[in-house]
Amino acid sequence: MRKLHLQDRKKMIHNFNAGPSIMPQEVFDKAANAILNFRDTGLSILEIGHRTALFQSVLDEAVQLVKELMKLDADHEVLFLHGGATTQFFQVPMNLLNENQSAAYLDCGTWGTKAIKEARLFGNVDVVASSKDKNYTYIPKGYKIPADAAYFHYTTNNTIEGTEMFSIPDTGVPLIADMSSDILSYETDFNRFALIYAGAQKNIGAAGVNMVVVRKDILGKVNRKLPGMMDYRKHIEAGSMLNTPPVFAIYVCLLTLRWLKNQGGVHAIEKINKAKAALLYETLDARQGFEPTVAKEDRSRMNVVFLIPDPLLEKKFIDACKEQQMVGVKGHRSVGGFRVSLYNALPLESVKALTDLIKQI
Ligand SMILES: *Cc1c(COP(=O)(O)O)cnc(C)c1O
């Protein structure tokens, strides 16, 4: 059993994991308390009914906070669903793409590639651009989206390859984005999207739930019959309670959303995220032997990917990270090298500690 109090643990460990990933300290503390005694009921959050006023208030507040933090208009609904972002890869085309229609997809990373594969089960996929030619180390630009596309789908942040797209493309068709790894990390006009989805385990909470923001008017247009659990409209009608929702995971989202609001919301966290990424990239660029892999203009502020070609220096870096309790820096198995994730909850101090190490090694 872990004997350390969590407060002490955080002083020692710098957690750069890509997902599930670091969460705010107060979220750990409050979630732990809720498991033992939820809101002084004497009951654990793990044993209360989901159709109780107690849980309804959790869900309502979480939905309200998402609307507030994302500045959503009244046409957008917020859902908490199961199955991770990976389920959205097929739920999106199942709800929005007829068999005889085409949807436009941007192929700019591993997750987008998976989304494309799943969409092909339901209709035609028009891959309008791809950065596969350079191992997805840049974001394609200057592509055209057919005016009759059912929608345009892209991944805002490529968690594995370390690229990020900050500007929203002007397409003339409904916009759909997988924002799993950069949602609520910078200000953008979320209302421009017809549908946004995000697994919770990077910036919003614990694994086991994913968030979907959907504009109601795009629904109900496909010909195929949908199983209830796959139909966004059914989830909207049921207020995310078509069946037993992931109660604890949603509660952890609520705690994280409250924390974000208390930090000053997305505007405030964006400033910190920019400072963290700038410090790390500047340090890497200045340090011989460390090579960021991504084109400068497309560098992600959430996942920083780099190589250390010299095996001796690489080993030194790995050993130093171990010694200084820096975890989660190893790159994705498909890319190699290193990946340092700088999600909302990662404090600037952890980036300072890492950049000090990089400078000194
Ligand atoms: C992590 C991730 C996923 C996969 O999420 P699951 O919850 O494991 O299904 C999909 N897309 C992106 C961009 C991710 O970062």
Side-chain angles (χ1 to χ4, degrees):
M1 214 174 90
R2 181 184 275 154
K3 284 274 166 58
L4 283 172
H5 186 273
L6 288 171
Q7 210 78 40
D8 305 324
R9 186 195 82 125
K10 280 292 150 178
K11 274 185 200 138
M12 306 190 305
I13 297 180
H14 300 286
N15 182 357
F16 299 104
N17 272 319
S21 45
I22 186 167
M23 289 196 277
Q25 180 59 48
E26 67 175 62
V27 172
F28 292 135
D29 290 338
K30 286 181 177 157
N33 284 335
I35 285 186
L36 298 174
N37 179 9
F38 182 53
R39 292 187 181 165
D40 278 329
T41 54
L43 294 167
S44 165
I45 181 135
L46 302 179
E47 60 179 343
I48 60 164
H50 57 293
R51 302 202 189 273
T52 54
L54 210 52
F55 180 68
Q56 190 64 54
S57 76
V58 169
L59 186 57
D60 290 347
E61 190 187 340
V63 167
Q64 196 44 47
L65 277 171
V66 170
K67 287 184 177 168
E68 193 181 320
L69 289 163
M70 293 175 80
K71 299 191 171 82
L72 295 176
D73 60 30
D75 296 330
H76 284 81
E77 295 281 345
V78 177
L79 298 171
F80 287 98
L81 305 179
H82 314 238
T86 304
T87 295
Q88 295 310 306
F89 294 163
F90 67 84
Q91 195 169 354
V92 163
M94 198 183 230
N95 278 263
L96 302 173
L97 181 61
N98 273 317
E99 224 170 303
N100 58 354
Q101 275 183 310
S102 270
Y105 274 71
L106 190 63
D107 174 33
C108 53
T110 308
W111 294 116
T113 307
K114 292 188 183 198
I116 289 167
K117 188 166 167 252
E118 299 288 86
R120 288 204 167 111
L121 297 170
F122 298 94
N124 299 314
V125 173
D126 184 1
V127 178
V128 292
S130 171
S131 51
K132 195 175 178 186
D133 59 337
K134 290 186 181 165
N135 296 322
Y136 300 115
T137 52
Y138 71 102
I139 300 279
K141 291 155 196 94
Y143 47 87
K144 287 220 160 41
I145 292 152
D148 61 351
Y151 59 81
F152 174 60
H153 176 285
Y154 72 106
T155 316
T156 48
N157 182 67
N158 293 286
T159 325
I160 292 174
E161 295 83 2
T163 60
E164 191 169 11
M165 216 166 131
F166 297 102
S167 63
I168 304 173
D170 240 329
T171 64
V173 302
L175 271 177
I176 296 185
D178 175 359
M179 296 195 184
S180 293
S181 51
D182 69 347
I183 192 155
L184 294 170
S185 69
Y186 65 97
E187 282 190 304
T188 188
D189 187 357
F190 294 106
N191 287 311
R192 282 188 54 198
F193 293 88
L195 192 146
I196 293 166
Y197 60 91
Q201 66 272 24
K202 282 122 187 182
N203 260 335
I204 343 178
V209 65
N210 57 287
M211 198 180 77
V212 172
V213 171
V214 58
R215 210 180 61 215
K216 281 167 286 186
D217 66 274
I218 61 161
L219 302 175
K221 293 179 181 165
V222 281
N223 305 323
R224 75 178 58 84
K225 290 188 175 129
L226 300 168
M229 276 297 281
M230 284 295 112
D231 190 336
Y232 294 121
R233 287 177 308 169
K234 291 271 189 315
H235 285 289
I236 293 171
E237 278 164 28
S240 294
M241 286 224 255
L242 209 47
N243 70 332
T244 314
V247 169
F248 184 63
I250 292 174
Y251 182 63
V252 176
C253 288
L254 169 61
L255 295 175
T256 311
L257 293 163
R258 275 188 191 159
W259 169 84
L260 181 55
K261 186 180 170 178
N262 290 337
Q263 300 300 300
V266 182
H267 181 73
I269 211 77
E270 175 175 353
K271 276 193 198 156
I272 301 169
N273 286 336
K274 280 181 170 164
K276 289 186 300 193
L279 175 61
L280 182 51
Y281 282 117
E282 274 163 26
T283 306
L284 290 170
D285 285 337
R287 177 68 170 81
Q288 276 224 332
F290 285 64
E291 296 180 3
T293 53
V294 168
K296 270 193 180 156
E297 69 274 17
D298 298 324
R299 287 174 169 179
S300 167
R301 289 202 285 258
M302 294 285 104
N303 311 97
V304 177
V305 177
F306 58 93
L307 303 172
I308 306 176
D310 173 8
L312 282 179
L313 183 58
E314 184 178 49
K315 173 146 192 340
K316 234 170 121 182
F317 179 66
I318 292 170
D319 290 346
C321 285
K322 261 190 205 137
E323 199 185 291
Q324 299 198 26
Q325 309 239 53
M326 296 186 179
V327 304
V329 299
K330 195 169 181 287
H332 189 268
R333 61 190 184 278
S334 66
V335 177
F338 300 88
R339 169 176 53 171
V340 171
S341 298
L342 312 177
Y343 297 122
N344 284 354
L346 184 88
L348 180 61
E349 290 68 41
S350 286
V351 182
K352 283 193 176 134
L354 178 66
T355 50
D356 285 347
L357 183 155
I358 292 170
K359 286 173 195 160
Q360 285 157 19
I361 198 173

